[in-house]
Amino acid sequence: MQGASVDRYTLARAGGLEISILTYGGIVQSIRLPDGTNVVLGFPELDGYLAAGDAYLGAIVGRCANRIARGELPLDGNVYGLSRNEGEHHLHGGVAGFDKKVWRARPRIGEREIAVVLAHTSEDDDEGYPGRVDVEAVYSLTLDDVVRIELRAVTTKPTVVNLTTHSLFNLAGEGRGTIFAHELTLAADRYTPVDAQLIPTGELAPVAGTPMDFRRPTEIGSRLGGDYDHNFVLNERVAARLTDRSSGRSLEIRTTEPGLQLYTGGKLDGAYERFAGVALEPQRFPDSPHHAHFPSAVLRPGERYESTTELRFPSGLSDQ
């Protein structure tokens, strides 16, 4: 990105939400609610993101989000060697994934929404992945204060694509303590257990009777010391509800994706304390190339990857 200019686009509605997006990494820099509170972690200047390294704050991650074991991508009888950036494993697109690219951008104004359209081209063999992939990310703000994130991609060769966004939310306000007291509800009765290196075992295990059971509103800090980095198998499009009862703010996430990664910021250090925000990342399951029974992330020429996620911020306390 040396020599490239980075722009900020702000989508705002009078008396409503305001969302700012950077062309560096497609980063959601802030989401301000009508009362002026910013509810995502981020930095006021680009230098903060560059210094944060692999925190992925607010960024689009890909070409393949989450982990691929041993950096090995089996596809159509071949095994492609991907970059290894988490020990022996591949994480969030590798050493210089989509979160570290400067995206092309253009504004778009419709009758019921305003948007910024970001585009990026990932060349053949980028971080070891086969095929040139053209990616488009559309951030929209609607007249009824819905933030919509649409991710699309096409490829020149068979490859894998699994995109998500990595905003960390704190509904009390950015930088205002931990998210332990936030109540979380997930529409998931199964999850994908992992080994000590956070690689899925391949099992689809029931959440019942485990610390993974968020089918009813549950304080994040009440189990496992609040330290989560796990994928959940979604049952319905309304995937998650997050509530901070001290402020009365809530967030609802709807998505077309089959899974959602719950990450509570246990690896944060530096500008933010650990557990200062919670990421709720819609996705295909981690390490899916090694598990044929997981939803596939394979994309072939002539096909189109499409993913849509909506963020809604109901006023007042949720009656979940």
Side-chain angles (χ1 to χ4, degrees):
M1 65 165 287
Q2 188 173 3
S5 63
V6 174
D7 297 320
R8 174 170 53 217
Y9 285 78
T10 298
L11 310 176
R13 193 179 72 79
L17 291 181
E18 176 186 292
I19 175 172
S20 291
I21 299 107
L22 304 181
T23 53
Y24 177 71
I27 286 171
V28 175
Q29 185 183 31
S30 63
I31 299 178
R32 296 192 181 278
L33 303 188
D35 65 3
T37 302
N38 175 28
V39 294
V40 297
L41 306 191
F43 302 104
E45 302 294 338
L46 179 63
D47 287 347
Y49 294 98
L50 300 179
D54 290 331
Y56 305 102
L57 292 179
I60 298 170
V61 291
R63 181 181 302 192
C64 195
N66 219 304
R67 294 165 176 85
I68 297 180
R70 302 175 300 282
E72 296 176 349
L73 172 60
L75 181 61
D76 293 346
N78 299 308
V79 178
Y80 297 89
L82 306 180
S83 58
R84 299 178 180 184
N85 59 319
E86 190 184 55
E88 66 173 330
H89 306 301
H90 178 88
L91 173 67
H92 284 339
V95 176
F98 292 177
D99 61 296
K100 295 181 177 65
K101 307 298 185 182
V102 178
W103 294 56
R104 306 181 298 276
R106 60 180 174 85
R108 188 181 74 190
I109 300 176
E111 292 185 2
R112 298 193 56 79
E113 63 183 28
I114 51 176
V116 57
V117 181
L118 304 180
H120 172 64
T121 298
S122 174
E123 298 294 346
D124 187 18
D125 200 38
D126 183 11
E127 299 289 327
Y129 288 99
R132 189 191 76 231
V133 170
D134 291 304
V135 185
E136 187 175 79
V138 183
Y139 288 100
S140 305
L141 177 62
T142 71
L143 289 179
D144 52 353
D145 275 345
V146 174
V147 176
R148 183 178 299 113
I149 305 167
E150 298 167 273
L151 304 172
R152 306 164 184 153
V154 294
T155 184
T156 60
K157 296 179 181 179
T159 190
V160 291
V161 174
N162 179 22
L163 307 178
T164 192
T165 52
H166 203 279
S167 291
L168 282 100
F169 296 93
N170 188 323
L171 298 180
E174 178 263 337
R176 297 182 185 174
T178 73
I179 43 74
F180 287 155
H182 282 43
E183 289 185 351
L184 177 64
T185 309
L186 296 178
D189 54 20
R190 293 180 296 168
Y191 75 107
T192 52
V194 294
D195 64 18
Q197 295 183 314
L198 301 180
I199 301 299
T201 64
E203 183 183 5
L204 301 177
V207 301
T210 78
M212 306 299 161
D213 193 349
F214 287 93
R215 291 175 296 174
R216 296 181 179 275
T218 302
E219 285 194 1
I220 291 173
S222 65
R223 304 167 179 163
L224 293 185
D227 194 358
Y228 288 89
D229 196 356
H230 298 81
N231 172 67
F232 290 79
V233 180
L234 296 176
N235 300 332
E236 57 186 73
R237 190 166 184 268
V238 181
R241 295 183 179 89
L242 185 69
T243 298
D244 172 46
R245 293 199 171 272
S246 65
S247 66
R249 302 186 187 104
S250 61
L251 164 66
E252 179 183 275
I253 295 180
R254 303 184 182 190
T255 185
T256 58
E257 289 301 291
L260 182 139
Q261 187 82 8
L262 168 62
Y263 169 61
T264 52
K267 296 183 179 69
L268 287 174
D269 54 26
Y272 290 100
E273 65 179 312
R274 295 178 70 211
F275 310 111
V278 54
L280 299 162
E281 307 163 60
Q283 60 175 4
R284 311 292 158 88
F285 299 174
D287 199 32
S288 63
H290 290 122
H291 303 282
H293 59 293
F294 283 6
S296 177
V298 174
L299 182 68
R300 300 185 182 280
E303 298 176 346
R304 184 180 178 90
Y305 170 94
E306 293 184 307
S307 173
T308 300
T309 295
E310 293 181 351
L311 310 178
R312 298 168 180 252
F313 297 89
S315 59
L317 283 174
S318 171
D319 56 357
Q320 303 172 71

